[in-house]
Amino acid sequence: MTKKKSASQSQVVMTEMVLPNDTNTLHNLMGGKLMHWMDIVAAIAAQKHSNRIVVTAAADSISFKHPIALGNVVTLQAQVTRAFNSSMEVFIEVWAEDIPANKKIQTHRAFFTFVAVDQNGRPIEVPEVVPNTPEEVELFEGALRRRQLRLVLAKRMDPKDAVELKSIFNLDEKPEKKK
Ligand SMILES: CC(C)(COP(=O)(O)OP(=O)(O)OC[C@H]1O[C@@H](n2cnc3c(N)ncnc32)[C@H](O)[C@@H]1OP(=O)(O)O)[C@@H](O)C(=O)NCCC(=O)NCCS
């Protein structure tokens, strides 16, 4: 197995158009449809990195700030930020474009986690990620903190072992006494 791969080798760009069947009663893209597209683009990125079958293990909180209108073109870009043992964090960015109006805005950013599995569905080791650009390095470094946070929230890690989170939540400091 290749032990290391550049982050950019996993990059995937997917383009979709919002059609009537994808929309809610306000003629905007359904949240579930967007999450479906995000899951697909991110799974392809994780497959490209690992050359394995992958399953979605987690999707971090996704907020819907900007509605995406019927007829907009949606571009989704995904790239693996960091790999651990069998799991990979994938960063997804989404843009909505109104081509006749010449307007394009970024609407979403999210992190999904995928696990590479063998034919029996058992987790299997994946190559390390090598970040090259400053943005890739930033995403790589933050991935450990995000991993610990999601594993603590999923009750898969004892908060005491989440060393990366200690500085954020001051876990080493004694709580202030109430007056
Ligand atoms: C994801 C899955 C393979 C993990 O299997 P498991 O037996 O719990 O395996 P492990 O405990 O050894 O964990 C394997 C990896 O998954 C990661 N993982 C498991 N649950 C996770 C979660 N909620 N969030 C982030 N990572 C998670 C672990 O951290 C571990 O990563 P590492 O190998 O890089 O250290 C298993 O839970 C599964 O098959 N889930 C269903 C996946 C699926 O069907 N997805 C579609 C959604 S409908």
Side-chain angles (χ1 to χ4, degrees), residues 70-129:
L70 176 65
N72 275 189
V73 170
V74 180
T75 305
L76 301 102
Q77 183 174 306
Q79 188 165 309
V80 175
T81 63
R82 187 163 179 162
F84 296 93
N85 301 303
S86 63
S87 69
M88 295 155 278
E89 185 192 69
V90 182
F91 179 49
I92 308 152
E93 291 178 281
V94 181
W95 293 267
E97 187 173 7
D98 180 342
I99 295 177
N102 205 19
K103 276 190 192 152
K104 186 173 183 177
I105 55 161
Q106 187 170 70
T107 56
H108 301 83
R109 298 163 96 236
F111 293 96
F112 280 34
T113 303
F114 287 81
V115 176
V117 293
D118 64 16
Q119 294 296 335
N120 300 314
R122 279 192 296 260
I124 191 164
E125 202 187 333
V126 296
E128 281 177 39
V129 169

Side-chain angles (χ1 to χ4, degrees), residues 81-84 89 128-131 135-144 146:
T81 63
R82 187 163 179 162
F84 296 93
E89 185 192 69
E128 281 177 39
V129 169
V130 181
E135 193 196 2
E136 286 170 2
V137 170
E138 195 182 329
L139 287 165
F140 180 91
E141 285 171 355
L144 191 56
R146 290 186 295 275

